[in-house]
Amino acid sequence: MTRILFVCTANVYRSVLAERLLAARLPPGSVLRPESAGTQACHRPRMEDTTRAVLERLGGDGSGFVSRPLTAQLMAGAPLVLGLAREHREAAVRLAPAAMRRCFTLKEFVRLANGGTAGEGRGGFEAVVAAAANRRGTAAPVPQAEDDISDPWGGPREELYECALEIAREVSGLVRL
């Protein structure tokens, strides 16, 4: 199994949605295993009700979810770490500096991987990650808003749903890669 670790702040909305929406979109028998964690997560024994409702509306499964904090151990076993905002990518790199070449924001990774050899079937998953890391230094910088998915914390349910739709679009880009 190849783990993809999604990271947000509390492991309540964004990373949870990314984890479960990717799981729902992967083909049967996929070697990819999406997981999630939060830079400031507290243990929650189940998925938050509004997150579950939005997730299920988009075809995901909320069963068996338990939130967890981001740790160096989780990072060590994940060949790809995707923050939902730049602050999450930066927190992951601070926690495990050696992981820098495999830490991106979700939007950044999809953008960079699509600009390289990704999608051409060369070298598999590791080659896609390496190509994205190599392009990071050569691609033109983008405004932070183009890398971040806004936190719906404290907002209305419609804001959470819009956030989930944005994540679903990016996760579909991952599946195509």
Side-chain angles (χ1 to χ4, degrees), residues 70-87:
L70 180 65
T71 64
Q73 184 177 5
L74 281 175
M75 297 263 314
L80 181 60
V81 178
L82 299 173
L84 278 290
R86 286 182 181 177
E87 68 186 89

Side-chain angles (χ1 to χ4, degrees), residues 31-172:
V31 298
L32 299 179
R33 187 176 84 206
E35 297 180 352
S36 65
T39 60
Q40 299 174 27
C42 298
H43 176 73
R44 293 174 189 259
R46 64 184 186 87
M47 189 176 291
E48 199 268 339
D49 290 338
T50 56
T51 304
R52 179 185 294 271
V54 167
L55 174 66
E56 290 174 353
R57 183 173 172 189
L58 295 175
D61 179 9
S63 64
F65 177 79
V66 176
S67 65
R68 61 188 174 170
L70 180 65
T71 64
Q73 184 177 5
L74 281 175
M75 297 263 314
L80 181 60
V81 178
L82 299 173
L84 278 290
R86 286 182 181 177
E87 68 186 89
H88 307 124
R89 178 194 63 205
E90 292 161 7
V93 170
R94 279 192 307 275
L95 187 61
M100 184 173 177
R101 288 187 51 85
R102 54 191 170 89
C103 293
F104 304 83
T105 69
L106 171 59
K107 292 171 111 179
E108 173 190 31
F109 181 75
V110 171
R111 182 178 66 252
L112 292 174
N114 276 322
T117 60
E120 297 174 15
R122 296 185 204 153
F125 181 81
E126 292 80 15
V128 172
V129 175
N134 290 337
R135 283 192 45 79
R136 187 182 327 208
T138 61
V142 300
Q144 185 168 347
E146 289 187 36
D147 274 347
D148 291 359
I149 295 177
S150 297
D151 191 353
W153 188 270
R157 186 178 182 145
E158 296 77 31
E159 193 173 311
L160 175 61
Y161 183 69
E162 289 303 315
C163 173
L165 288 175
E166 183 176 13
I167 291 168
R169 283 189 299 273
E170 294 300 322
V171 162
S172 293

